[in-house]
Amino acid sequence: MKITKLICSPGVTGFFFDDQQAIKAGARRDGNIYSGTPVTEGFESVRRPGESISIGLILEDGQIAYGDCAAVQYSGIGGRGSVFLAKNFIPSVEKIVKPAIEGMEITTFKEMAAFLENLKDEKGLPLHAAIRYGVSQAILDAVAKSQHRLMAEVVAEEYGCTMSENLIPLFTQSGDDRFLNADKMILKETPILPHGLFNSPEKTGENGEKLLDYIQWLRGRIINFKLSQKYAPIIQLDLYGTLGSIFGKDYKAMANYLLKAEELAQPFTLYIEGPMDEGNLQDQIEALKKLREILEAKGSKVQIVADEWCNTVEDVKAFTDNKAGHIAQIKTPDLGGINNTIEAILYCRKNGMGAYLGGSCNETERSAAVCSHIAIATSPLQCLAKPGMGVDEGYMIMHNEMQRILAVMKSR
């Protein structure tokens, strides 16, 4: 079966593009708007609406395979690609991807994804990661539709995986509404919560005291309002490097602080994402490696999650090989083609690193659904509920899609 036509359309995402550098520099939130001057290239304001490009591949038999191109909320920093605006990148899809894909025989996902990865833009550079992300989703869907199978089945077969028989634990994120949204998570009994968005010293406190207060509040909230006595979620907080602003390179002091946080979180396990941002890949790896070693020497069970500077398959492998943290977030839009996401998950699992199938609130319902198939096929440690910051929508989309996959597999 062949792909007869590629169509694309501009779309919106489940959240916004935010200038993280401007926020760290003191841009203040006013309602749902940030005041202040943008710092990162591509931002005309500190916050701007997220955009996407929807890809449709029309097959010979009339079926249409879909995927969505999208980029992360904090684009343009930490080694990530530029802000992804539909008007700027639809021409690349039309001029480069469309003629290369139309008329292509549908073979295997691996083969077709590799072809996509090797396409170059007008400057001879790889296509923007967001384009490769969305087109590869559509390619996987096309392969699955040509075989009348689920996308998860295609991934499992081509990569030699055993599909999970259970839901992959979902991690819900609160955005700045870290109190009201935490209540939603507790009522819905989400397995991992709440993210928290502690992305500035104002939110963590000058010495981290506000963060400790929040952990204590959240622990009490879970204990007092959980609907089931069996509910014991993992508390995962994303700090966007703010502990580095407090403690600098004093990793022993940082570890002692995290020991205090761990004690306040008990009986719940504590994950800390992005404790510091050292400004480049190698220094970030060294910092997370040292922090992990100090925590483990002190007998701590805190799990450190790598995020900043962990953007490509090669980055994920480097963090894994150096034991830089305990878990690597595989930030799906940053890795480009979803074949890279699959490879990264499997490498982590094989080499003793926790694989967190992440991504961004700034994705779409389509990219989230495709990631649900990847999750069931590859069995990562956990999976981000996306898109959006409202909790309900992202959790519903991914939870329900995984349930559908499991139901179909059980029926067979």
Side-chain angles (χ1 to χ4, degrees), residues 304-321:
I304 300 300
V305 183
D307 183 359
E308 274 74 25
W309 301 99
C310 191
N311 302 320
T312 66
V313 175
E314 291 72 25
D315 294 344
V316 172
K317 289 179 178 179
F319 277 87
T320 300
D321 293 344

Side-chain angles (χ1 to χ4, degrees), residues 144-286:
K145 282 183 164 61
S146 72
Q147 298 176 6
H148 300 286
R149 303 171 77 192
L150 298 176
M151 288 182 282
E153 292 177 289
V154 172
V155 172
E157 179 177 301
E158 291 197 21
Y159 289 86
C161 306
T162 300
M163 290 176 61
S164 175
E165 296 181 358
N166 301 296
L167 295 171
I168 303 303
L170 284 170
F171 171 34
T172 46
Q173 52 184 342
S174 65
D176 275 318
D177 292 323
R178 61 188 61 84
F179 294 96
L180 290 176
N181 276 342
D183 285 350
K184 292 183 179 182
M185 298 170 187
I186 293 166
L187 292 174
K188 291 177 182 287
E189 296 194 343
T190 65
I192 308 162
L193 78 174
H195 186 268
L197 198 67
F198 287 93
N199 61 352
S200 68
E202 178 188 3
K203 295 171 186 176
T204 58
E206 186 177 346
N207 298 302
E209 68 280 359
K210 290 184 179 180
L211 178 61
L212 296 179
D213 289 344
Y214 179 78
I215 291 172
Q216 198 166 16
W217 173 86
L218 181 61
R219 172 192 178 274
R221 203 73 175 169
I222 296 168
I223 290 172
N224 291 330
F225 293 100
K226 61 182 181 179
L227 300 180
S228 167
Q229 291 304 309
K230 293 181 180 179
Y231 180 52
I234 291 167
I235 295 175
Q236 180 167 331
L237 301 167
D238 194 345
L239 306 188
Y240 295 88
T242 51
L243 290 190
S245 301
I246 297 169
F247 298 102
K249 295 183 183 295
D250 189 346
Y251 302 121
K252 289 184 179 179
M254 192 180 294
N256 287 334
Y257 174 87
L258 291 177
L259 286 171
K260 186 183 298 183
E262 180 180 26
E263 183 179 351
L264 291 173
Q266 290 181 357
F268 307 113
T269 301
L270 181 64
Y271 289 5
I272 296 294
E273 184 174 351
M276 79 291 285
D277 182 351
E278 297 295 341
N280 64 77
L281 174 62
Q282 194 55 48
D283 286 345
Q284 186 73 0
I285 287 174
E286 289 299 319

Side-chain angles (χ1 to χ4, degrees), residues 12-16 50-52 68 70-73 133 170-175 181 332-333 358-372 383-399:
V12 297
T13 63
F15 204 62
F16 299 90
E51 298 185 17
S52 65
D68 278 357
V72 297
Q73 173 189 8
Y133 185 45
L170 284 170
F171 171 34
T172 46
Q173 52 184 342
S174 65
N181 276 342
T332 53
S360 176
C361 54
N362 194 46
E363 294 190 48
T364 73
E365 84 293 344
R366 182 56 186 167
S367 65
V370 175
C371 284
S372 298
C383 190
L384 179 67
K386 57 188 181 182
M389 286 285 198
V391 179
D392 306 293
E393 300 85 355
Y395 184 71
M396 172 191 67
I397 288 166
M398 298 202 69
H399 176 91

Side-chain angles (χ1 to χ4, degrees), residues 15-18 42-51 83 85:
F15 204 62
F16 299 90
F17 290 120
D18 286 342
F43 281 89
E44 297 174 357
S45 58
V46 177
R47 167 167 282 182
R48 62 179 303 162
E51 298 185 17
V83 177
L85 303 180

Side-chain angles (χ1 to χ4, degrees), residues 292 295-296 300 302-306 323-328 352-355:
R292 173 177 174 165
L295 285 169
E296 290 181 349
S300 173
V302 171
Q303 300 287 288
I304 300 300
V305 183
K323 296 188 183 300
H326 302 87
I327 300 166
M353 188 74 148

Side-chain angles (χ1 to χ4, degrees), residues 87-109:
K87 67 179 181 180
N88 293 341
F89 289 98
I90 283 180
S92 293
V93 175
E94 295 279 2
K95 292 177 184 178
I96 299 167
V97 182
K98 182 180 174 72
I101 292 289
E102 289 185 347
M104 179 180 285
E105 190 75 33
I106 298 173
T107 56
T108 66
F109 170 68

